[in-house]
């Protein structure tokens, strides 16, 4: 199986440079940044809390959509061909408490962000979005009600250590999926593949307005899923465990009615929230707005940021592009810093050209 190529521009790295870069997070943006910098000759060390690199490509998206073997083959290529060092099961402590996010319990080693800033010439933060959004309605804390990450993560993580994760019992269960984005598609697809008795997706708008696109909905319906639009969940029911979802449905004439869906599992797959470390101290809001001196650089001079942790959840292609842009900006900054010309700047993160 062909490896995912994170080296991009070069089959072999340039001669080594006397600079070290740390990348926090081994998801698509982190791997892209690591590949770019390593191909340019920088020594790159990647830190990730999980037992395998890949981020949500490995631990969130079902393997029939992105084969895990392709991801890991690309990671091995980064390690063997480009000299990237991977420090897995290693949590970089930031502003969030340990064990607040999915996957934290895999961490065996812990370092502080300040340690990396001190030990490396530059750092790129690519920690992604590891906290799920909540509906904040009655019954959301009932057993059997999961967020998208709580449902998907154990399914993929169980292959690495079943003692640390509990996979939901899906086979022969009636499952309701709330949402119609890519997370919801992955939940529904995994449920079908794992033998759910029924899968019903409910969404507050129509299938044509679904963030995942009409095509994804049609494919799932052909696989046996039921899609119901114009539905707004108002509460989860059950005593001791969830046994149903109560919704309001908006009719064509503008009226509303209450609809009830019995289920043993309900998944609120309505997206994730970025988990930025020290967002205020790093000035991430200014980075998002572009109010910075250097592209993707935070308020700490040698710390850059990229991917979903900066932009919010996005498609893999956008995360990779963000990682590449941040890595290119970092490399340009490092090159100019050696020449004491780092004050030079253009909007694309490169040096200004002096007119002749």
């Amino acid at each position: 199986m062909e490896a995912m190529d994170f080296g991009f521009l070069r089959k072999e790295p340039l001669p080594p440079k006397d600079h070290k870069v740390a990348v926090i997070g081994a998801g698509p943006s982190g791997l892209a940044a690591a590949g770019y910098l390593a191909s340019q000759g920088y020594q790159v060390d990647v830190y990730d809390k999980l037992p395998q690199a890949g981020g949500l490509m490995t631990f969130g998206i079902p393997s029939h959509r992105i084969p895990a073997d392709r991801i890991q083959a690309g990671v091995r290529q980064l390690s063997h061909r480009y000299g990237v060092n991977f420090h897995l099961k290693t949590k970089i402590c930031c502003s969030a408490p340990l064990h607040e996010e999915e996957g934290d319990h895999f961490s065996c080693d812990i370092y502080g962000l300040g340690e990396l800033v001190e030990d490396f010439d530059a750092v790129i933060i690519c920690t992604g979005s590891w906290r799920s959004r909540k509906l904040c309605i009655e019954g959301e804390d009932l057993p059997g009600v999961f967020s998208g990450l709580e449902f998907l993560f154990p399914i993929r993580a169980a292959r690495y250590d079943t003692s640390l994760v509990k996979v939901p019992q899906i086979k022969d269960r009636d499952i309701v999926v709330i949402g119609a984005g890519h997370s919801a598609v992955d939940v529904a697809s995994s449920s079908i593949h794992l033998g759910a008795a029924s899968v019903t997706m409910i969404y507050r708008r129509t299938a044509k307005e679904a963030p995942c696109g009409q095509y994804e909905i049609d494919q799932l319906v052909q696989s046996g899923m039921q899609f119901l639009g114009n539905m707004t969940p108002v509460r989860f029911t059950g005593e001791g465990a969830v046994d149903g979802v109560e919704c309001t449905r908006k009719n064509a004439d503008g009226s509303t009615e209450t609809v009830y869906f019995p289920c043993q599992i309900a998944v609120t797959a309505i997206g994730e929230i970025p988990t930025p470390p020290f967002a205020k101290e790093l000035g991430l809001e200014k980075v998002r707005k572009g109010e910075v001196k250097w592209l993707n650089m935070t308020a700490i001079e040698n710390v850059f940021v990229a991917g979903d942790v900066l932009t919010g959840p996005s498609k893999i292609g956008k995360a990779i592009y963000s990682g590449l842009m941040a890595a290119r900006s970092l490399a340009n900054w490092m090159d100019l810093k050696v020449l004491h010309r780092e004050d030079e700047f253009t909007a694309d993160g490169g040096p200004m050209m002096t007119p002749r």
Side-chain angles (χ1 to χ4, degrees):
M1 184 173 288
E2 185 179 356
M4 293 185 74
D5 186 4
F6 299 107
F8 297 103
L9 299 177
R10 299 183 180 277
K11 293 299 181 184
E12 300 293 337
L14 290 174
K17 296 177 184 272
D18 190 24
H19 291 99
K20 300 188 303 179
V21 180
V23 177
I24 306 174
S29 60
L31 292 175
Y36 179 89
L37 291 168
S39 72
Q40 300 302 304
Y42 293 94
Q43 175 55 56
V44 180
D45 284 52
V46 178
Y47 295 82
D48 197 277
K49 63 186 178 182
L50 298 171
Q52 289 283 344
L56 286 176
M57 288 193 300
T58 299
F59 290 92
I61 300 174
S63 57
H64 62 271
R65 291 169 68 86
I66 300 182
D69 290 346
R70 287 196 63 202
I71 301 168
Q72 297 313 314
V75 170
R76 288 193 296 272
Q77 187 170 276
L78 282 180
S79 177
H80 299 156
R81 183 180 297 176
Y82 297 95
V84 176
N85 296 322
F86 285 90
H87 307 269
L88 302 175
K89 294 187 178 181
T90 302
K91 173 78 173 181
I92 305 303
C93 279
C94 301
S95 53
L98 194 62
H99 303 309
E100 185 176 287
E101 304 165 3
E102 288 297 324
D104 279 358
H105 46 279
F106 277 105
S107 300
C108 297
D109 295 319
I110 300 174
Y111 293 98
L113 176 61
E115 294 178 76
L116 298 191
V117 172
E118 187 174 317
D119 293 343
F120 288 84
D121 297 294
V123 176
I124 300 185
I125 298 171
C126 305
T127 47
S129 299
W130 283 94
R131 195 177 306 146
S132 295
R133 296 184 185 278
K134 295 287 187 180
L135 282 173
C136 299
I137 61 175
E138 182 183 343
E140 195 164 11
D141 294 329
L142 282 170
V145 179
F146 299 88
S147 69
L149 273 179
E150 287 171 341
F151 183 85
L152 290 168
F153 181 83
I155 295 172
R156 299 299 300 274
R159 71 182 66 183
Y160 303 107
D161 192 337
T162 54
S163 67
L164 292 175
V165 292
K166 184 178 180 181
V167 179
Q169 178 59 47
I170 298 168
K171 187 174 175 60
D172 298 327
R173 299 291 183 95
D174 296 310
I175 298 177
V176 171
V177 183
I178 299 167
H182 291 284
S183 292
V185 166
D186 290 339
V187 169
S189 179
S190 294
S191 299
I192 292 169
H193 277 79
L194 293 172
S198 70
V199 179
T200 302
M201 180 181 287
I202 60 176
Y203 181 51
R204 59 195 175 96
R205 296 194 177 101
T206 66
K208 290 182 179 179
E209 299 169 288
C212 66
Q214 179 80 55
Y215 175 79
E216 294 280 6
I217 299 295
D218 291 344
Q219 291 293 106
L220 287 169
V221 170
Q222 288 179 21
S223 298
M225 184 192 80
Q226 181 181 26
F227 178 87
L228 295 170
N230 296 316
M231 295 281 184
T232 302
V234 293
R235 72 185 183 104
F236 298 100
T237 62
E239 294 184 8
V242 69
D243 61 19
V245 184
E246 186 177 298
C247 302
T248 58
R249 176 166 59 196
K250 187 175 181 180
N251 298 316
D253 61 2
S255 64
T256 59
E257 62 178 315
T258 299
V259 185
Y260 179 76
F261 299 98
C263 64
Q264 292 81 50
I265 292 178
V267 185
T268 59
I270 56 174
E272 288 73 49
I273 302 170
T275 51
F278 301 117
K280 184 177 181 181
E281 293 86 344
L282 292 173
L284 294 193
E285 190 57 37
K286 289 187 176 181
V287 181
R288 292 188 186 101
K289 294 178 179 178
E291 299 173 357
V292 290
K293 182 173 176 58
W294 199 271
L295 187 69
N296 283 61
M297 184 187 278
T298 69
I300 300 177
E301 187 181 66
N302 63 335
V303 178
F304 293 72
V305 63
D308 290 2
V309 70
L310 178 65
T311 63
S314 64
K315 295 182 179 179
I316 291 173
K318 286 188 176 181
I320 288 173
Y321 177 74
S322 178
L324 288 172
M325 290 293 289
R328 179 173 178 267
S329 179
L330 183 154
N332 287 333
W333 173 74
M334 295 274 278
D335 290 344
L336 288 175
K337 189 175 182 181
V338 172
L339 302 173
H340 304 290
R341 293 171 53 197
E342 61 266 35
D343 287 340
E344 300 178 24
F345 171 77
T346 60
D348 67 353
M352 292 188 295
M353 300 302 294
T354 302
R356 296 192 178 189

